[in-house]
Amino acid sequence: MLDTTQIQLIESDVESARITLYNLSDELVDHICCAIEDQMRNGKSFDEAYALLKEQTGIKVLQSIQENTLYLTDKKYRLMKTTMKITGNVALALLGMGTVMKIFHWPGAGPALVLGFALLCLFFFPAVVYINHREGKSKGGPIMNFSILVGGVGLMAGILFKVMHWPGASMLLLGGWFFILFIFLPTLLYAKLKDAKSGFEKRVYVLGVVALIIFELATMFKMMHWPGAGPLMILGSLLLVAVFLPLYTNMRFKNVELKTGQFIYLITISMYAVVLTALLAMNVSKDILGCFVRSQDNGTAINHYFEQKERILAASNTVKDSVVMMNAEKIKHVSEETAKVKNEIQNLKLNLVQEIEQVDKQTALAAISESVKISKKDNYDIIDHILFDQNGNGLANSLKGKLDTYRELILKLTTSNKELSESISRILDTSSKKNYNTMVSWEEDNFKHNPLISTLALLTALEKNVSMVESSTIQYINQ
Amino acid sequence: MASNDLLKGMLKPIILKLLFEKGPMYGYEITQLVKEISAGEIELTFGALYPILHKLEQEGIVQTESEVINNRNRIYYSITPKGNSLAQEKIAELEEFVKTLKIFFKPNFGLKFSHA
């Protein structure tokens, strides 16, 4: 006959298999005890007999008994399990196909992605949460189930909205993150702490959840284009991968029987997370950044030419002095106004490079004329911060105002030549554009979420346009 | 030993017959008895047994009673009055089926073919 400590050992093992079904845990404990007692009557020790039995009936077998019982006795569970299997497979196929179609720009990518995500959000995910709950795998109770359900669906719907450029994506993402960061993860931590057997284990769990919260916050910052995502992400992923994961695997797999499958799964998933994070953190691929470097340097060269042009051409000026005198006033005015606008653009570039690279004026100027020297070419968080304030009245908006005034001035001067004034008004156009059925202002269309290097190239091109307009206008006045 | 494929569908009537004749029994007892009666030919694993017992309980054919034995809870299963007739029906059905099955092992299926 087994003593109380032996029975308690078996009970705790059955409990760790999360057998929650009515009567079933008692039955399994009794069954295991009976089988061990039989073996012991044949002369084996308790330890031997239990080790032998465990080989045949590990935690997985106990769990499968519960799953089979639920499957037989619970209609809703059966339905959910079928739903989970079918919608999971179909959604995966749809999302996979959708992604491939999106990459190759084939038609039908949108509907495939929408349908896949809808299946995932509305059927697969709720079914998974329900099944986990029924199998007793989620220990945090209704709050945890509710928060992961709402948060998870919110996040997935948010990603879909973001991919499809539907309005409201940010709200969904933020809402989903709120539930996961501030309700689900703390409840998970609470449940884990209640389960923890040693102080070391407790500290590992706290570390894990804190790392996860930092990591998720970083992802959220990244997706919302808030500044500070980079350092948060580095901190979060370092804590998660370099500190928490080794401690956790060491703790989990040291004494327990070797669970190769689970271990491989854990490592693979972590690797995916790290690689995807790295890709996400890079913002834009290097090749594309290289294109903008060339475009920026090319633009700088042209602007340099325009600066010299008036001086070079003045030397070989053939226009009569009397005419020059007459137009001098007008030309001086145009040159002054042009200089003001160009100054504004140059200051903006300088401002951006200095803020982002954290360098002095001299270094920033050198970097602008040879943009390969810029190290944070793909930064757009700080740009957004500088160019746009909360009310949409940032520097981008004031630049637009200056361009508008300049354009009006030039149009007034060239109004007698319709073709010229129309070209100029096209070159200096700052009107809003229609993008995915919503009106987007000129400054948002050009500068929102635009990496540093392409923003510089854009500003340089703008400067070039202004110089061209100046040159044509002066030429027109001189005729 | 009988394969799982063959046993499928037979286990329910076998369990019912045992409970019908021997009265209240607990899980381990059932598995051991099946092993003993079949001389080791039929192995009823606990993975197969408990889901069936819970299903039968849900259908109201068997009922449970818990008793503390050797410092642990033991769950006894017995046939309910309502399940009595159903159990008999199932047992009879199995018997009938076995009879039918046997025909297939007679030479010529017990038929006299005329070779005219």
Side-chain angles (χ1 to χ4, degrees), chain A residues 166-209:
Chain A
W166 289 340
S170 304
M171 281 309 294
L172 281 167
L173 285 174
L174 277 182
W177 257 303
F178 173 80
F179 273 93
I180 289 193
L181 283 179
F182 300 112
I183 304 180
F184 173 70
L185 283 178
T187 6
L188 178 75
L189 179 63
Y190 179 71
K192 282 279 180 196
L193 283 183
K194 247 185 5 192
D195 255 14
K197 290 183 183 83
S198 67
F200 174 69
E201 213 179 319
K202 276 185 188 170
R203 279 194 287 277
V204 171
Y205 284 141
V206 171
L207 181 73
V209 169

Side-chain angles (χ1 to χ4, degrees), chain A residues 342-365 367-368 374 379 382-388 394-396 398 452 455-456 459:
Chain A
K342 281 163 79 172
N343 229 343
E344 177 84 13
I345 297 173
Q346 279 161 6
N347 280 337
L348 197 53
K349 284 198 276 191
L350 196 63
N351 190 349
L352 289 177
V353 174
Q354 272 190 285
E355 285 289 322
I356 290 167
E357 298 275 292
Q358 292 293 322
V359 291
D360 59 56
K361 199 175 166 186
Q362 230 41 50
T363 326
L365 281 173
I368 289 171
I374 296 172
N379 181 294
I382 303 173
I383 296 198
D384 276 3
H385 206 66
I386 298 171
L387 295 181
F388 299 91
L395 289 176
S398 82
L452 173 61
T455 306
L456 286 182
L459 287 170

Side-chain angles (χ1 to χ4, degrees), chain A residues 80-365:
Chain A
M80 287 291 188
K81 198 122 194 184
T82 321
T83 310
M84 180 183 84
K85 278 182 191 157
I86 294 175
T87 57
N89 280 319
V90 174
L92 191 68
L94 279 171
L95 289 178
M97 266 163 32
T99 314
V100 171
M101 292 195 279
K102 189 116 198 163
I103 291 172
F104 285 104
H105 300 287
W106 290 339
L113 285 177
V114 172
L115 201 62
F117 264 105
L119 280 178
L120 218 55
C121 290
L122 299 177
F123 296 98
F124 176 74
F125 195 61
V128 169
V129 173
Y130 178 81
I131 285 166
N132 256 328
H133 162 66
R134 284 310 308 269
E135 286 176 1
K137 280 176 187 155
S138 62
K139 287 203 96 182
I143 300 177
M144 202 157 127
N145 288 324
F146 178 72
S147 60
I148 188 68
L149 186 63
V150 174
V153 168
L155 271 188
M156 281 190 266
I159 292 172
L160 170 67
F161 274 51
K162 192 115 199 165
V163 170
M164 299 309 295
H165 301 280
W166 289 340
S170 304
M171 281 309 294
L172 281 167
L173 285 174
L174 277 182
W177 257 303
F178 173 80
F179 273 93
I180 289 193
L181 283 179
F182 300 112
I183 304 180
F184 173 70
L185 283 178
T187 6
L188 178 75
L189 179 63
Y190 179 71
K192 282 279 180 196
L193 283 183
K194 247 185 5 192
D195 255 14
K197 290 183 183 83
S198 67
F200 174 69
E201 213 179 319
K202 276 185 188 170
R203 279 194 287 277
V204 171
Y205 284 141
V206 171
L207 181 73
V209 169
V210 168
L212 212 56
I213 288 181
I214 295 177
F215 185 77
E216 292 292 327
L217 266 177
T219 330
M220 176 168 112
F221 271 50
K222 193 96 229 172
M223 284 197 111
M224 304 307 295
H225 303 290
W226 290 339
L232 268 180
M233 187 154 276
I234 292 170
L235 180 68
S237 46
L238 265 184
L239 269 180
L240 207 59
V241 180
V243 186
F244 169 71
L245 204 66
L247 286 175
Y248 179 75
T249 44
N250 188 34
M251 187 178 81
R252 212 43 229 276
F253 298 103
K254 195 161 73 180
N255 296 321
V256 196
E257 61 222 77
L258 253 181
K259 291 177 197 141
T260 322
Q262 271 189 32
F263 186 71
I264 293 173
Y265 180 72
L266 190 67
I267 295 296
T268 317
I269 291 291
S270 315
M271 250 159 50
Y272 269 111
V274 173
V275 171
L276 283 179
T277 312
L279 286 179
L280 192 67
M282 263 200 302
N283 291 343
V284 191
S285 101
K286 243 188 157 128
D287 297 345
I288 293 174
L289 290 178
C291 291
F292 286 113
V293 167
R294 283 190 287 283
S295 158
Q296 156 71 5
D297 290 355
N298 188 18
T300 309
I302 292 176
N303 283 333
H304 187 70
Y305 160 75
F306 272 118
E307 269 164 34
Q308 308 295 316
K309 187 186 165 209
E310 297 311 317
R311 194 177 47 77
I312 299 165
L313 292 184
S316 59
N317 201 348
T318 52
V319 184
K320 279 184 206 143
D321 279 356
S322 56
V323 183
V324 173
M325 284 299 283
M326 228 168 59
N327 293 330
E329 210 44 33
K330 268 190 202 167
I331 292 173
K332 198 179 155 215
H333 186 52
V334 169
S335 296
E336 272 170 10
E337 289 306 309
T338 309
K340 269 190 213 161
V341 175
K342 281 163 79 172
N343 229 343
E344 177 84 13
I345 297 173
Q346 279 161 6
N347 280 337
L348 197 53
K349 284 198 276 191
L350 196 63
N351 190 349
L352 289 177
V353 174
Q354 272 190 285
E355 285 289 322
I356 290 167
E357 298 275 292
Q358 292 293 322
V359 291
D360 59 56
K361 199 175 166 186
Q362 230 41 50
T363 326
L365 281 173

Side-chain angles (χ1 to χ4, degrees), chain B residues 21-41:
Chain B
E21 292 195 355
K22 302 274 296 182
M25 278 199 284
Y26 58 96
Y28 187 72
E29 198 183 358
I30 297 176
T31 59
Q32 292 311 103
L33 198 60
V34 167
K35 204 169 163 185
E36 198 186 314
I37 293 173
S38 69
E41 280 300 308

Side-chain angles (χ1 to χ4, degrees), chain A residues 1-2 7 22-24 26-28 30-31 33-35 37-38 57 61-62 65 68-69 72-73, chain B residues 26-28 31-32 46-47 49-55 57-58 64 70-75 77:
Chain A
M1 216 183 87
L2 302 182
I7 294 175
Y22 164 74
N23 272 350
L24 191 64
D26 280 349
E27 276 173 331
L28 292 178
D30 185 40
H31 194 108
C33 289
C34 288
E37 280 168 350
D38 258 6
T57 56
V61 176
L62 297 184
I65 294 176
N68 288 338
T69 310
L72 275 180
T73 56
Chain B
Y26 58 96
Y28 187 72
T31 59
Q32 292 311 103
F46 69 156
L49 172 68
Y50 290 109
I52 295 176
L53 284 176
H54 281 257
K55 177 76 179 165
E57 188 190 1
Q58 192 199 31
T64 58
N70 295 346
N71 294 323
R72 56 192 191 246
N73 274 330
R74 179 160 288 171
I75 315 291
Y77 287 85

